Amino acid sequence: MNFQLTEEQQLIEQSARDFAKEFLDPIAVQLDYTGEFPKAVIAELANHDFLGLHLPAEAGGAGAGFVSYVAVIESLSRSSAAVTSIINNQAMASYAIQTWGSDAQKKQYVRAFIKGETIGAFAVCENGPTTGIGPDALNATKTEDGYVLKGTKAYVRNAGEAGVYVVFAVTDAADPNALTAFVVDASAAGLKVGPRLNTMGLKGCPVAHVVFDDVKVPETAVLGSLKAGREIATRVLALASVAEAAQTVGIGQAAVEHAAAYAKQRVQFGKPIATLQAIQTLLAEAATDCYLARLALRAAAQLVEDGKPFEAEAAIVKSFLARLGSKILVDSCQVEGGMGFSESMPLPRLFRDIAGTTLLDSPADFPDYAIAASIA
Ligand SMILES: Cc1cc2nc3c(=O)[nH]c(=O)nc-3n(C[C@H](O)[C@H](O)[C@H](O)COP(=O)(O)OP(=O)(O)OC[C@H]3O[C@@H](n4cnc5c(N)ncnc54)[C@H](O)[C@@H]3O)c2cc1C
């Protein structure tokens, strides 16, 4: 297996790095401070074709493939994982509609996502023990001409900014495991976005509960077929695991690079701390962790691109990085000593962001560890 990016993939990766330098680096600190949704950046992402990278050309996307998508997410996450959290959740919605949607659904939403005119949100998680079970579970009751949705989706990214939500609901009370996916316009009467969570990191990517208070949707709002929701959610969450692992690698790489640069200029005992073997060991191990994580990430992304089974490998990279990501940050912080602990340096933000990327989208009923263990 070749782990190197092709020439075309390298060009795409470089364009993401250039984009990050021009549009993300100048706002990353401010975004973290204000938590304001970065509308102007979303428009620029669309102008640079980053919102349709994963979608086929016939849908209006760039048809760049999943390896390129993951390389772009990693590159942008070096500067702002808040922005890539918005992109990933939007990509989950656009991929789901492009893959399982009717012609009318694709026509209505997919190009609008790619152009950045509509933000998408993908909402599986609920407050209960598992999606579909518990007092807040989203239920869809059949009416003559459609469904009435009642319940709450928890911790929805892009909530409040999204024009459309892909949600999963129980359509048969006797079979709560069999979820059905629905595409719901944000303007639907009864859809209420709760207060925005004051999250620890990834600030700028809004997260809130979304309440469906007897929301009426037409029959055409069903995505795919009735009771196909679990299959859709499982596949999209597996793809998201790879993309979220890419965020973690990007944040980790940014932390190592910053710590290495700091170590070269911080002088103690008359010489830069980068000359001390203990510091070199910390940096070398963190750089090694990033390198190996990237190989695992590319292997999983290549399986996706080749149309091969990838679910176990996706779970492996996500759960592996959940452990490794925080270690890279701890080691990088150690290198920077007291100064690295200061909010005037980037490591605290990266630390808080990596805690978020390892938590995203790991519902108890779609457990990464259990899927990863299935390969053993
Ligand atoms: C920043 C952020 C953004 C998110 N965005 C989205 C989104 O856009 N869409 C969406 O659908 N969801 C989203 N989520 C929700 C995310 O998927 C859930 O937070 C995650 O699934 C965990 O569920 P929970 O918060 O209810 O944790 P809980 O289920 O309460 O888990 C708490 C702890 O208990 C452990 N635990 C739970 N059950 C078991 C068990 N049976 N055995 C052993 N241990 C167990 C968990 O591993 C965890 O350590 C987001 C979360 C975050 C933090």
Side-chain angles (χ1 to χ4, degrees):
M1 181 181 275
N2 184 2
F3 288 100
Q4 301 308 313
L5 297 180
T6 63
E7 209 171 307
E8 190 192 339
Q9 289 163 345
Q10 283 176 37
L11 284 173
I12 293 172
E13 184 185 55
Q14 188 56 50
S15 70
R17 290 198 186 181
D18 295 343
F19 182 93
K21 210 178 226 177
E22 184 174 355
F23 295 103
L24 301 186
D25 285 348
I27 60 147
V29 171
Q30 183 72 0
L31 201 60
D32 183 53
Y33 186 67
T34 64
E36 269 172 29
F37 188 76
K39 270 201 175 81
V41 165
I42 302 301
E44 286 302 341
L45 285 163
N47 288 342
H48 288 74
D49 288 338
F50 285 126
L51 298 182
L53 209 59
H54 59 298
L55 295 170
E58 65 267 22
F66 201 64
V67 173
S68 293
Y69 180 77
V70 159
V72 165
I73 292 298
E74 184 199 328
S75 299
L76 300 180
S77 299
R78 289 183 187 208
S79 297
S80 174
V83 168
T84 53
S85 296
I86 296 168
I87 301 173
N88 274 344
N89 201 248
Q90 150 116 326
M92 291 164 82
S94 60
Y95 173 84
I97 295 177
Q98 176 59 27
T99 308
W100 290 278
S102 62
D103 286 346
Q105 286 168 335
K106 288 185 211 173
K107 199 169 162 207
Q108 186 174 355
Y109 300 112
V110 175
R111 276 180 201 268
F113 286 143
I114 294 169
K115 288 184 189 160
E117 293 163 356
T118 303
I119 302 294
F122 191 87
V124 184
C125 187
E126 294 171 352
N127 260 330
T130 179
T131 307
I133 294 179
D136 288 340
L138 188 64
N139 278 283
T141 308
K142 185 82 188 81
T143 60
E144 224 167 71
D145 53 354
Y147 292 85
V148 175
L149 303 181
K150 194 167 187 62
T152 302
K153 285 293 167 189
Y155 310 109
V156 183
R157 259 169 299 157
N158 295 345
E161 299 293 337
V164 62
Y165 293 83
V166 174
V167 299
F168 296 81
V170 175
T171 38
D172 176 358
D175 189 7
N177 255 325
L179 304 170
T180 297
F182 290 88
V183 182
V184 185
D185 280 331
S187 59
L191 189 154
K192 298 170 195 159
V193 177
R196 204 170 145 175
L197 265 70
N198 185 8
T199 51
M200 171 177 155
L202 303 175
K203 289 171 185 279
C205 173
V207 178
H209 293 355
V210 179
V211 179
F212 295 78
D213 191 4
D214 288 334
V215 174
K216 288 190 185 125
V217 293
E219 205 134 357
T220 52
V222 171
L223 180 65
S225 52
L226 269 184
K227 297 194 177 183
R230 190 163 285 276
E231 187 196 322
I232 294 172
T234 302
R235 184 169 175 91
V236 175
L237 287 169
L239 287 167
S241 292
V242 184
E244 287 149 11
Q247 291 183 282
T248 308
V249 176
I251 300 170
Q253 186 68 42
V256 180
E257 286 175 11
H258 193 272
Y262 180 83
K264 283 179 196 156
Q265 56 91 18
R266 169 68 173 158
V267 174
Q268 280 292 50
F269 301 100
K271 53 186 180 181
I273 59 170
T275 60
L276 305 172
Q277 204 167 25
I279 296 293
Q280 289 171 358
T281 303
L282 284 172
L283 288 170
E285 282 184 2
T288 305
D289 289 343
C290 284
Y291 178 82
L292 293 177
R294 186 174 301 107
L295 296 188
L297 183 60
R298 288 207 183 140
Q302 190 64 57
L303 289 174
V304 174
E305 191 155 318
D306 293 345
K308 293 187 177 151
F310 68 94
E311 286 76 4
E313 287 78 359
I316 283 170
V317 281
K318 176 87 187 278
S319 55
F320 176 58
L321 273 158
R323 283 174 286 136
L324 206 63
S326 38
K327 181 182 174 297
I328 295 168
L329 262 293
V330 169
D331 287 352
S332 301
C333 269
Q334 185 63 35
V335 169
E336 297 197 7
M339 196 59 210
F341 195 58
S342 159
E343 284 284 352
S344 66
M345 299 286 263
L347 288 189
R349 170 171 62 87
L350 298 175
F351 221 132
R352 291 186 275 102
D353 284 355
I354 219 162
T357 61
T358 55
L359 263 178
L360 299 171
D361 296 330
S362 301
D365 44 345
F366 300 91
D368 287 325
Y369 277 113
I371 303 168
S374 71
I375 209 168

